[in-house]
Amino acid sequence: MENLMVKYLISTFLLLTLLACTSGSRQATPVSYRSGIDLENMLLEESPGKNFHQYVNGHWQQYGVLPSELHQYDVFDELEQRSHDAILQIIERAARTRYGHGTDEQKVGDLYQSFLDFKRRNSMGIAPLKPVLEQINAIESNADFARYLAFANKADYNPPFALSVEIDLEDTSRYMLTTWQAGLGLPDKQHYLSDEQKYRDIRGAYRQHIVSMFELAGIEDAELNASKVIALETELANHHEDKPDNRDKNKLYNKFLYHNLPQIMPYFDWKEFVEDAGLSKNVELVVPQIDYLRGLNEMLVTTELEDWKLYFTWHAIHANANHLTQSFARQHFAFYGKTLNQQRAMRSAKWRAVNVVNDVLGDIVGKTYLKEHLTTQVSRSVQQIVRNQVFALAYWLDDIDWLDGDTLDMALDKLAEMQVQVGGPTIWQDYQNLEIRFDDYFGNQQRAAIFQYQQQLMLLNQDVDRERWQQLPQSVHVTYQPELNQLIIPTGAMQPPLYDPGADQAINYGAMGSVIAEALIASIDNNGRNFDDEGIYQPWWQNRDKREYLQLAANVAGQYDTLALSIEHETQLHAHALLAKAEAEAEAKALAAAKLLEEIDEENSSEQPKDGVGSDARDDENMEAPETETLPESNQSESLSQPENMPAPVNEEFPPINSSEEINTELTANVPDGSVPVEQQGSEESTDSSYDSSDGGSEQTNLPAPQFPMVNGVQTLDRSLSDINSLSVALRGYQRALSGRNGTSIDGFTGLQRFFIGYAQRWRTLYSPQRLEQMQQQEDYLPLRYRVNGAVRNMDAFYRAFDIQEDERMFLPAEQRVRIW
C-alpha cells in the first residue's frame, strides 16, 4: 500500500500544480486573516445543540429579503449575482466604445445592444420568423420533412430527436455523435400522462399558453390548433423512454452506421437528413433510445402532415419567444416562469442581456473575467484545499473495511489520475466566423445557434482535448466530469461565502471544502463508480462492496426516517423523547431498588433459625419461588465498540456500524447502478432516534408516540448521503491542513467551531411561500435545516466543538452515527 500511496501522492502533486490555470492570474497583496463568519447572520441566542442551522443562519433567515423576481435565493444565487455584476461591467465597457467590425469587443457590445433595442424588436413583430414559418408550410414530402428536422437541429428548435456530440463512452480520446429523445414542450412524459390534478392543471395552462402564443403570431384557429399540438406531443411522450439518463451503456450505447439507420426508422429519409445536417455518410450514430425512434417512425405514418406542420410551427415560435417582441417574452415567462417554476417576476432587461452574451460569446467575456478576478494567491489556496482533501480521503480509503481490494485500488487510481483545473481554461473558443450585428438580434441568435452546431460537428474530426472546458470561468458551480476524470473549479465559485480569500482556512474548508469533497466523492461513488480512471464506462464496484454500501445507506435512511418534517413537530418529538427517557430511567431505578431490597430480604432470611431436620431443610411446597425482574434488554449488540481516540488528524476513528440488522434490499438510492429509489417508506410510528437514552438502547414506555409527517429516508437518501460524506471528507482535509495543531480562536470561535459554521453558512436559503409549498408537497422533501443538522450530528467532532449534551435535540448516540467515506 505504501508504494501505491507514494505513486498517488506524486501524481496528485503534479496534476494540481500543472493543471491549475495561471493564464491571466495576478498576485494579490498580503491580507490579515479574519474569521470569515457572518456574525450578523447568526442567532447566537439559539443553542447549537437545538438547531445548528438556526444558530448559524437564523438572523439571515428571519430578516433576509428575497429578491422580487426569484422564488428562492441561496448561496449560489449570491455568487451568481456577483459574477453577473462583474460581467456586466466588462460588457458595458465594450458597448460604450466603438471597435472595428469583427473584433471580439465589437461582437460583445453589439450583441448586448441588439438585445436591449426593444423599440426595433417590437416594431418588427413576427416578421423575423416568417421565413422559417414559410419553410414549414412548404413541407410536402418525406424529403422536405427530413430537411426541416436537420434545420431544426441546427437552429436548436427542439425537434423530435436531437443530435449532440459527446465524449465516446468506449474511447475517451475521441467524440461520438448521438441522438436523444426530445420534442416536448413540458418537462417530461409524466406531465402529459399523469392523472394527478397538479399535472392536469399544468396541461390546461400549457394549452392556454399555446393559444396565446399562436394569437400573438397571427395563427388562425388558435384553440383547435393548440389542441392538435398537445395531442401530438402526448403521443410523443408515450414513446419517450423512462429515465434515459441512467448511463447504463448496455442499454444506451447502440452504435449504427449510416446504412443501418433505416432499420430503426424506415419511413424517415435518412439520406436527406444526413446531407442537410452536414454529416458524413461514414457517420457512426449512437442511438440511446431505439424504441423511441421506432415509435417516432410509426408516428410518421399515422400522424397527418398538417398536424406535424402545426407542431413545427409551435416549436419554432416557442424557441424564439425571447428573440422576438416583448409581448412574446412576457407570455413565455407567464407560463414557463410563473406557472411552471413559481418565479415571481422577470429578471431585469440588463440581467437577461448579460445572460445572452454569456450564452453566445461566453469565452470572450470569460477571458477578461478570469484576468480581472483570479489571483495567484486564491488559485494556490484552493489547490491546497483540494490537495489536502484528496490526501485525507486516500488515507481513509485504506482503512475502510467494507471496500474490496480491487475496488480500493481503482478508487485510489482514480484519485491519483484525476485532473484538477482551477480558474479557467487555457484554450478558448474562436468566434471569428460568427457575425454579430447591432441591428439584428433575431439574426444574431440564429447565426449563433448554427455556429455552435458547426463547432460541435468539428469535434468529430478531432481528438478530445482535456484542456477544453465545458463550462465558463464565470460560472459558480464546481463540477466533476466522469468521462475525463476531471474536477473543474471555476473562478466564479471562489467567492464569499463559499470561498473567502481573506478568511481563516477553517471557514473555507467547511464551505468550499465540502463542495469540493462532494465532487471528489462523486469520482468513486455516484456516477463516477461506473467509469474507470481513464473515463471509460466500466463499472468497477464488486458485489460485496454494493452489499456493504447498501447496509450503510440503509442506516442513513433509517436515521432520517425518524425526523419530523415540521420544526414544531420536531420540538414535540423531542419533548416526548425526554419524557420517555425520564420515565424509563425512573422505572430502571425502581427495578434496581426492588432488586436490592429483595437481595437484602434474602440475606436476612438466610440468617434466621431454620425449622425441621438439618440446617439445609426447606419447605419447598410452602415456599413460592421469588419473582425476578430484569432491566429492559438493549437493542444494541454487545460486540459494538466505543469510538477510539483519533490517532492522527487525517484518520479520525468512528465507531463501527452494526451490520447485523436486516436491510431492505430494495434500497437503491446512490447504489452502484446509479438508480434513484422511488419506494415510499412507512414512517407513521417513527420517533427520532436521537432522543433515545445515552446507551443507545430503546426503553419500553407507556407514553404513546406522537404521529407526525416524517422525512422519507429512502427518497431523500441521495442528499443525506452527500451531506454526511462531503462534510466528513472536508473535516479530514481541514484536520490535515492543521497538521496536528489546534485552530486559533477568532471572533470567539475555535477553528473546529468555525469549520462547522462555514459548512452551515453554505446552506442559507430563502424561499417564496409558493416555492416552499410546492417543495413540501413532494415525496422527497427534505427540510433545509436537515442539510445542516442531519450532517453535523453524525460527526463526533461536532459534539466536542460545541459541547453537545445528551438531552439536546440534535444529540445522536455515538453508536448510531454513520460514516461511509
Side-chain angles (χ1 to χ4, degrees):
M1 180 60 195
E2 264 184 61
N3 290 336
L4 192 64
M5 287 307 302
V6 169
K7 167 197 165 187
Y8 158 71
L9 298 178
I10 293 174
S11 299
T12 305
F13 270 120
L14 287 175
L15 284 171
L16 286 173
T17 302
L18 296 176
L19 294 178
C21 176
T22 57
S23 173
S25 297
R26 56 190 174 84
Q27 181 65 52
T29 55
V31 296
S32 56
Y33 289 107
R34 48 187 172 72
S35 73
I37 298 174
D38 294 327
L39 292 169
E40 67 278 7
N41 293 336
M42 299 183 69
L43 198 64
L44 294 174
E45 57 268 31
E46 181 70 270
S47 166
K50 179 182 178 183
N51 186 338
F52 189 62
H53 176 258
Q54 182 79 351
Y55 173 73
V56 175
N57 300 312
H59 195 269
W60 189 87
Q61 296 286 156
Q62 288 179 9
Y63 298 103
V65 177
L66 181 68
S68 60
E69 68 275 13
L70 298 182
H71 64 294
Q72 73 178 64
Y73 184 75
D74 59 21
V75 162
F76 288 99
D77 290 308
E78 293 183 52
L79 303 188
E80 188 177 350
Q81 179 66 61
R82 292 198 198 98
S83 178
H84 178 277
D85 292 343
I87 293 298
L88 177 61
Q89 293 182 24
I90 295 170
I91 293 172
E92 289 192 329
R93 285 202 304 265
R96 286 194 299 266
T97 308
R98 293 185 65 84
Y99 291 94
H101 187 74
T103 62
D104 285 349
E105 293 83 358
Q106 173 265 320
K107 292 175 181 177
V108 167
D110 284 0
L111 179 60
Y112 177 74
Q113 290 181 319
S114 70
F115 176 89
L116 293 176
D117 190 356
F118 292 115
K119 182 177 181 181
R120 183 189 301 271
R121 290 171 58 187
N122 290 338
S123 68
M124 299 179 73
I126 193 68
L129 189 60
K130 281 193 174 179
V132 175
L133 301 183
E134 290 171 359
Q135 181 183 354
I136 293 170
N137 288 331
I139 297 174
E140 297 295 341
S141 65
N142 287 347
D144 293 339
F145 188 98
R147 281 193 290 268
Y148 181 78
L149 250 64
F151 168 77
N153 265 283
K154 292 178 184 178
D156 196 19
Y157 282 4
N158 192 22
F161 67 86
L163 296 177
S164 64
V165 177
E166 310 287 347
I167 294 173
D168 198 309
L169 293 176
E170 289 191 341
D171 180 0
T172 56
S173 69
R174 60 192 296 268
Y175 292 96
M176 65 180 183
L177 182 66
T178 179
T179 66
W180 203 258
Q181 60 189 22
L184 303 181
L186 292 175
D188 54 50
K189 64 185 299 181
Q190 187 177 23
H191 284 76
Y192 293 89
L193 307 180
S194 175
D195 285 331
E196 289 186 52
Q197 187 59 46
K198 64 179 180 180
Y199 293 116
R200 293 164 64 94
D201 293 342
I202 288 174
R203 288 195 294 272
Y206 180 51
R207 180 183 180 279
Q208 187 54 51
H209 169 62
I210 297 175
V211 170
S212 298
M213 294 291 271
F214 274 171
E215 289 174 346
L216 285 173
I219 306 295
E220 296 181 355
D221 298 322
E223 294 272 355
L224 175 62
N225 290 334
S227 297
K228 290 181 177 180
V229 168
I230 292 180
L232 194 153
E233 286 190 3
T234 301
E235 190 171 354
L236 273 180
N238 263 309
H239 292 297
H240 267 235
E241 296 184 18
D242 294 324
K243 297 183 180 178
D245 56 348
N246 58 16
R247 303 309 300 259
D248 184 345
K249 185 184 72 170
N250 296 324
K251 296 181 179 178
L252 301 183
Y253 193 84
N254 310 301
K255 188 173 285 187
F256 289 82
L257 297 174
Y258 166 75
H259 64 271
N260 291 327
L261 291 172
Q263 295 176 7
I264 311 172
M265 294 180 66
Y267 295 113
F268 184 67
D269 193 332
W270 285 104
K271 179 180 179 297
E272 290 293 338
F273 177 82
V274 166
E275 183 176 327
D276 272 60
L279 305 177
S280 164
K281 290 190 177 180
N282 296 321
V283 67
E284 294 179 325
L285 187 62
V286 176
V287 181
Q289 300 99 19
I290 295 177
D291 288 343
Y292 169 72
L293 288 190
R294 286 173 176 158
L296 178 59
N297 182 70
E298 294 176 8
M299 292 181 63
L300 298 181
V301 178
T302 60
T303 303
E304 295 289 339
L305 181 58
E306 292 304 312
D307 290 348
W308 278 113
K309 290 182 181 181
L310 282 171
Y311 167 81
F312 290 145
T313 297
W314 157 239
H315 279 280
I317 295 170
H318 168 66
N320 289 286
N322 290 314
H323 307 156
L324 296 166
T325 70
Q326 287 177 295
S327 296
F328 279 104
R330 290 182 186 125
Q331 177 56 44
H332 178 85
F333 175 81
F335 176 72
Y336 286 98
K338 284 188 175 181
T339 301
L340 209 53
N341 293 305
Q342 291 78 48
Q343 294 174 355
R344 301 193 293 175
M346 290 182 72
R347 289 282 200 174
S348 69
K350 282 191 175 183
W351 179 283
R352 288 178 283 138
V354 168
N355 285 347
V356 166
V357 177
N358 260 333
D359 289 342
V360 175
L361 303 169
D363 273 25
I364 295 178
V365 292
K367 189 185 301 185
T368 303
Y369 178 84
L370 177 65
K371 185 183 298 184
E372 295 180 356
H373 292 274
L374 178 67
T375 68
T376 302
Q377 175 184 311
V378 167
S379 178
R380 289 176 177 170
S381 176
V382 172
Q383 291 173 49
Q384 188 61 46
I385 292 176
V386 178
R387 185 180 293 117
N388 281 330
Q389 293 197 137
V390 174
F391 272 79
L393 177 57
Y395 274 112
W396 167 243
L397 287 177
D398 196 34
D399 289 333
I400 296 180
D401 57 6
W402 61 269
L403 272 182
D404 180 86
D406 292 338
T407 305
L408 171 62
D409 289 345
M410 177 57 76
L412 291 172
D413 283 344
K414 287 202 70 174
L415 290 173
E417 298 301 324
M418 182 184 294
Q419 291 185 337
V420 181
Q421 299 199 13
V422 178
T426 55
I427 295 178
W428 302 92
Q429 176 67 61
D430 181 357
Y431 297 95
Q432 182 178 353
N433 294 326
L434 174 60
E435 182 186 6
I436 298 294
R437 295 166 45 187
F438 76 93
D439 59 350
D440 185 16
Y441 177 65
F442 182 90
N444 289 338
Q445 281 288 355
Q446 191 166 67
R447 288 187 293 272
I450 294 173
F451 172 80
Q452 291 296 340
Y453 176 85
Q454 292 169 340
Q455 292 296 308
Q456 288 293 301
L457 288 190
M458 288 172 60
L459 295 176
L460 293 173
N461 299 318
Q462 304 174 13
D463 290 337
V464 171
D465 190 337
R466 292 174 177 264
E467 300 300 311
R468 184 185 298 275
W469 280 30
Q470 296 187 8
Q471 65 188 97
L472 298 170
Q474 59 266 40
S475 61
V476 300
H477 293 285
V478 174
T479 59
Y480 173 74
Q481 188 173 1
E483 295 90 343
L484 295 176
N485 192 25
Q486 191 175 79
L487 175 63
I488 301 294
I489 306 173
T491 299
M494 294 182 280
Q495 305 178 73
L498 206 57
Y499 175 82
D500 188 343
D504 176 66
Q505 60 186 353
I507 286 287
N508 290 328
Y509 272 89
M512 173 63 85
S514 62
V515 174
I516 292 172
E518 208 172 313
L520 291 176
I521 294 167
S523 71
I524 57 177
D525 196 345
N526 302 331
N527 197 31
R529 60 191 160 200
N530 293 321
F531 295 81
D532 66 15
D533 54 335
E534 295 182 357
I536 301 216
Y537 186 93
Q538 184 64 50
W540 45 272
W541 273 35
Q542 305 299 311
N543 288 333
R544 173 185 176 273
D545 304 312
K546 299 175 185 178
R547 291 192 299 269
E548 295 288 340
Y549 187 90
L550 278 174
Q551 173 65 70
L552 296 172
N555 292 340
V556 174
Q559 184 185 119
Y560 278 69
D561 272 336
T562 64
L563 303 176
L565 289 176
S566 164
I567 195 167
E568 292 80 9
H569 294 160
E570 185 181 355
T571 301
Q572 294 178 51
L573 280 177
H574 180 54
H576 171 270
L578 291 180
L579 288 173
K581 180 180 177 181
E583 182 187 86
E585 289 175 347
E587 183 179 348
K589 289 178 180 178
L591 289 171
K595 187 173 183 66
L596 179 60
L597 289 175
E598 181 182 320
E599 291 173 352
I600 293 174
D601 288 342
E602 289 179 355
E603 183 178 345
N604 290 338
S605 63
S606 66
E607 295 176 358
Q608 297 299 322
K610 303 287 190 301
D611 293 332
V613 180
S615 59
D616 292 332
R618 180 173 182 177
D619 188 358
D620 294 332
E621 294 179 356
N622 296 323
M623 178 179 290
E624 295 183 2
E627 295 182 5
T628 60
E629 296 189 46
T630 60
L631 292 175
E633 190 176 31
S634 171
N635 67 351
Q636 196 67 33
S637 170
E638 293 180 1
S639 64
L640 287 178
S641 61
Q642 293 300 314
E644 300 172 1
N645 292 328
M646 183 173 62
V650 296
N651 190 19
E652 183 183 14
E653 293 295 332
F654 277 50
I657 301 299
N658 180 4
S659 60
S660 62
E661 299 176 4
E662 258 187 42
I663 65 169
N664 178 6
T665 57
E666 296 299 318
L667 181 68
T668 56
N670 272 345
V671 297
D673 65 2
S675 58
V676 178
V678 295
E679 294 81 10
Q680 176 74 30
Q681 294 285 314
S683 59
E684 293 181 354
E685 299 181 2
S686 298
T687 55
D688 197 331
S689 60
S690 64
Y691 311 137
D692 290 345
S693 67
S694 59
D695 66 359
S698 57
E699 292 80 4
Q700 301 297 323
T701 175
N702 295 323
L703 290 174
Q707 303 297 300
F708 299 128
M710 309 295 282
V711 169
N712 187 310
V714 171
Q715 297 234 6
T716 58
L717 191 57
D718 55 342
R719 280 163 286 167
S720 58
L721 281 175
S722 175
D723 297 339
I724 294 170
N725 290 335
S726 61
L727 184 59
S728 178
V729 172
L731 175 59
R732 290 196 295 277
Y734 173 59
Q735 289 169 331
R736 181 177 179 83
L738 292 178
S739 300
R741 297 172 286 105
N742 290 324
T744 306
S745 289
I746 308 177
D747 284 342
F749 296 97
T750 68
L752 198 55
Q753 288 174 330
R754 294 197 306 279
F755 169 83
F756 287 111
I757 290 173
Y759 172 76
Q761 284 183 167
R762 171 191 161 191
W763 290 105
R764 62 193 189 207
T765 306
L766 298 173
Y767 295 110
S768 68
Q770 296 82 0
R771 173 62 174 165
L772 186 58
E773 181 181 1
Q774 182 200 39
M775 293 171 62
Q776 290 171 340
Q777 293 173 354
Q778 297 170 356
E779 291 183 348
D780 63 349
Y781 172 58
L782 183 64
L784 183 66
R785 66 186 182 279
Y786 292 136
R787 303 303 303 266
V788 176
N789 299 346
V792 300
R793 69 202 292 257
N794 279 281
M795 305 292 131
D796 292 346
F798 173 72
Y799 294 82
R800 297 195 303 271
F802 292 96
D803 192 26
I804 307 300
Q805 301 299 308
E806 292 182 12
D807 61 347
E808 295 190 86
R809 183 190 297 174
M810 288 185 51
F811 182 84
L812 188 67
E815 64 273 10
Q816 296 179 26
R817 299 168 199 166
V818 178
R819 182 177 60 175
I820 298 178
W821 295 112

